[in-house]
Amino acid sequence: MQLLASYLSGSWSQGSGPRTTLVNPATEAAVAEVATGGHDLAAAFTYARTVGIPALGALTFAQRGTLLGALAKAIHGAREELITMAVANGGNTRSDAKFDIDGGAMTLSYYAELGAKLGATTLLADGDPIQVGRTARMGGQHVWGRRRGVAVHINAFNFPGWGVCEKLACSLLAGMPTITKPATATALVGHRMVELFAPLLPAGALQLLVGPAGTLLDHLGPGDVVAFTGGSTTARMLRGHATIIEHSVRLNIEADSLNAAILGPDVELTSETGGLFLADVVRDMTQKTGQKCTAIRRVLVPAARESEVLDALKERLGGIAVGDPSRDDVRMGPLATAQQLRDVREGIARLAAETEAVFGGTGEVSPIGVPTGKGFFVGPVVRRAADPFGCKALHAHEVFGPVTTVGSYDGDAARAAAFVAQGEGCLVSSAYSDDRDWVASFVGAAGAWTGRLYLGSSKMAAQSPGPGTVLPSLVHGGPGRAGGGEELGGERGVHGYMQRVALQGDASVLKSLLGA
Ligand code: NAP
């Protein structure tokens, strides 16, 4: 069986000590192993600082963009192989795997183009020149400059391909050498990506740690950045980490999220907007078996439409075949790990204590094409909350699987926004309405509680990717429970790996620094 190696200090090493086995979550068959230690992480940081920082610093944004373009091409060249790995190690259907891998390549291509646009420079203006003296001679200018540090990326299990790429696109474009750490359970895809990427990048620009983090964070210094995606418990530990506190290490957190979808009072379910709403809810429940940080967990619909919505969901979900994701007739695969299965079952049980079953009971399912008793399967589950505003489990625990809960309201936009707010901070929430006044009231009140607001309507329905798709051009992150972080969003995502400096001096000198 393959023992996955880490790529540290310019060479591949398998580590040592006890091993963890990566499995196929549909069959529980072993697919690879990783060693749980034995790496010289202090040396890896030194290598990044002494080799990676100068190598990337010698390049302009345009040149770094060219590198990102080459990484995107490398993914395209190995696409089938990566898809096969995602099916085998992630429980992904082919369609789920494409979502992850093509999403990664698309994000790299987007930032490659941004690099070309930023051009042959290494300093970026932040806003316009400001007069700060008695005359125009004394000026001020904010700029984004390079941080002299290392980016450490810690990724979640659910997007092993896209997760690596979206963080790497921004840190490399900003000129920071990067150490990436995929979640151990689904590390196969990220590992293969780094095998493809490493020969295309300057020495020291990219390193990979497979297996547990070990002492990784102990080597951080004041110029470094940690970008984390994962659960809130791990996030809490990172916030309290002594080295991160001591050096005020910049820490970006993408954590749990109880994303909401609201149906406006004006929408007939048979309309284009109503159809979009239903398609988005069903897609978010079943795509990647609901293991998307952006998936819709809470649904609020006008009381008069509730039974119609529940019937439509039942009908659509009834057609979803669950089983071995390598089969063409299967639409939804298993959860990614045995731990995930335990967590999702516990989450459903918590919801079940306060809600009634609408579809799928508590997730019992007989998966197609799987040996009896094997695999981490749970079927799609819809619950109904009679009192959606008072249902504690609904607003307190993210069930990271194919589970959603529906409740009803009076159609008031402020009430809908209050429902969003009860999640205490989301990555994304969505509202479906063609009534502009209702939408304006909703956005005004709900915007503070979510990183992205997706506004579904008849005018955009035909070209909508749904709220669950994270676009490189729009920020991804959210307040409160969602971690308080922010990634992507075009140039904003690159700024996360740069240092803003306020320059103050002769206005003509400031101008010349920016090449004007
Ligand atoms: P997790 O258990 O928190 O793990 C996330 C990452 O943290 C993994 O790479 C894990 O490594 C690493 N980690 C664990 N302990 C660590 C430590 N002491 N020091 C450094 N790294 C450590 O989360 P998960 O189970 O993979 O992901 C599920 C959660 O992620 C869900 O709650 C979901 O909401 C959230 N998520 C959020 C987003 C977003 O964009 N906001 C996206 C996807 C998922 P090992 O695997 O080696 O333990």
Side-chain angles (χ1 to χ4, degrees):
M1 194 185 335
Q2 188 185 9
L3 177 61
L4 300 185
S6 292
Y7 183 64
L8 298 166
S9 303
S11 59
W12 291 92
S13 78
Q14 292 178 323
S16 58
R19 293 179 183 182
T20 296
T21 304
L22 278 55
V23 301
N24 179 328
T27 62
E28 299 179 44
V31 294
E33 283 184 314
V34 295
T36 50
H39 299 294
D40 188 347
L41 297 174
F45 272 85
T46 304
Y47 185 68
R49 294 190 203 289
T50 55
V51 180
I53 290 178
L56 285 169
L59 305 178
T60 63
F61 284 110
Q63 289 168 321
R64 293 180 210 140
T66 303
L67 293 177
L68 297 180
L71 305 189
K73 266 204 195 118
I75 293 183
H76 288 306
R79 186 169 180 261
E80 282 306 317
E81 183 192 1
L82 290 165
I83 289 172
T84 304
M85 286 178 167
V87 172
N89 182 213
N92 290 190
T93 61
R94 188 177 163 79
S95 160
D96 290 342
K98 284 194 285 189
F99 187 57
D100 183 31
I101 288 153
D102 293 346
M106 188 263 282
T107 305
L108 286 167
S109 298
Y110 173 91
Y111 277 97
E113 278 175 32
L114 179 62
K117 258 187 233 151
L118 296 176
T121 180
T122 54
L123 209 58
L124 298 175
D126 175 34
D128 293 328
I130 310 158
Q131 181 177 327
V132 296
R134 195 167 33 81
T135 71
R137 181 164 290 270
M138 179 67 191
Q141 172 73 56
H142 291 97
V143 295
W144 290 104
R146 205 157 73 92
R147 285 172 82 89
R148 299 294 198 273
V150 181
V152 173
H153 294 167
I154 301 175
N155 282 308
F157 71 82
N158 57 336
F159 279 99
W162 180 84
V164 167
C165 297
E166 59 102 18
K167 287 183 167 63
L168 194 58
C170 292
S171 59
L172 284 188
L173 192 54
M176 283 189 91
T178 299
I179 301 174
T180 186
K181 191 204 115 40
T184 301
T186 57
L188 209 54
V189 168
H191 173 268
R192 182 67 187 125
M193 280 187 173
V194 176
E195 278 185 336
L196 295 166
F197 293 171
L200 305 173
L201 293 170
L206 175 61
Q207 302 185 70
L208 166 77
L209 174 65
V210 288
T215 60
L216 183 67
L217 304 177
D218 298 347
H219 307 288
L220 291 165
D224 299 342
V225 175
V226 175
F228 167 80
T229 298
S232 54
T233 310
T234 315
R236 206 169 303 127
M237 184 282 301
L238 293 182
R239 283 189 208 287
H241 192 280
T243 313
I244 290 182
I245 293 171
E246 184 184 346
H247 295 298
S248 304
V249 175
R250 188 179 289 177
L251 175 62
N252 192 77
I253 289 180
E254 306 284 347
D256 307 353
S257 186
L258 290 159
N259 313 300
I262 313 288
L263 187 65
D266 59 303
V267 180
E268 302 276 351
L269 267 199
T270 49
S271 69
E272 231 177 329
T273 310
L276 178 68
F277 160 78
L278 289 171
D280 285 350
V281 173
V282 171
R283 187 198 303 107
D284 267 14
M285 284 185 68
T286 54
Q287 189 173 46
K288 293 202 121 254
T289 319
Q291 298 165 112
K292 286 192 311 188
C293 50
T294 49
I296 296 167
R297 310 288 179 201
R298 305 177 293 147
V299 178
L300 195 67
V301 302
R305 299 234 188 281
E306 189 181 17
S307 59
E308 202 187 339
V309 168
L310 295 177
D311 287 345
L313 290 178
K314 278 194 264 189
E315 194 193 323
R316 289 181 186 219
L317 290 168
I320 303 281
V322 180
D324 181 343
S326 64
R327 290 173 59 122
D328 290 342
D329 56 348
V330 163
R331 285 270 306 279
M332 193 176 98
L335 296 165
T337 65
Q339 183 60 46
Q340 257 290 97
L341 181 60
R342 282 191 290 276
D343 291 350
V344 168
R345 285 204 171 128
E346 269 174 34
I348 295 172
R350 265 195 300 259
L351 278 176
E354 287 188 78
T355 58
E356 60 196 69
V358 173
F359 183 88
T362 53
E364 304 75 13
V365 69
S366 303
I368 303 168
V370 173
T372 311
K374 287 290 180 192
F376 313 132
F377 288 93
V378 65
V381 171
V382 180
R383 309 288 309 181
R384 174 181 178 268
D387 174 14
F389 293 87
C391 181
K392 288 207 176 73
L394 178 58
H395 304 291
H397 300 283
E398 179 192 43
V399 185
F400 207 59
V403 182
T404 206
T405 302
V406 180
S408 71
Y409 75 125
D410 58 8
D412 180 50
R415 194 89 176 117
F419 183 79
V420 172
Q422 276 189 283
E424 297 185 348
C426 308
L427 291 170
V428 57
S429 282
S430 44
Y432 299 80
S433 172
D434 289 297
D435 176 342
R436 288 186 181 208
D437 292 337
W438 188 93
V439 170
S441 306
F442 174 77
V443 169
W449 294 103
T450 182
R452 179 159 55 91
L453 265 183
Y454 167 95
L455 304 173
S457 69
S458 57
K459 294 269 165 58
M460 53 74 96
Q463 45 177 312
S464 166
T469 299
V470 172
L471 301 172
S473 50
L474 295 178
V475 292
H476 174 59
R481 186 192 306 279
E486 201 174 271
E487 295 183 320
L488 300 172
E491 201 182 306
R492 295 171 189 85
V494 184
H495 297 165
Y497 295 93
M498 299 188 79
Q499 182 64 40
R500 183 165 27 208
V501 187
L503 299 175
Q504 199 175 350
D506 176 346
S508 64
V509 171
L510 302 187
K511 230 173 161 188
S512 68
L513 285 171
L514 288 166

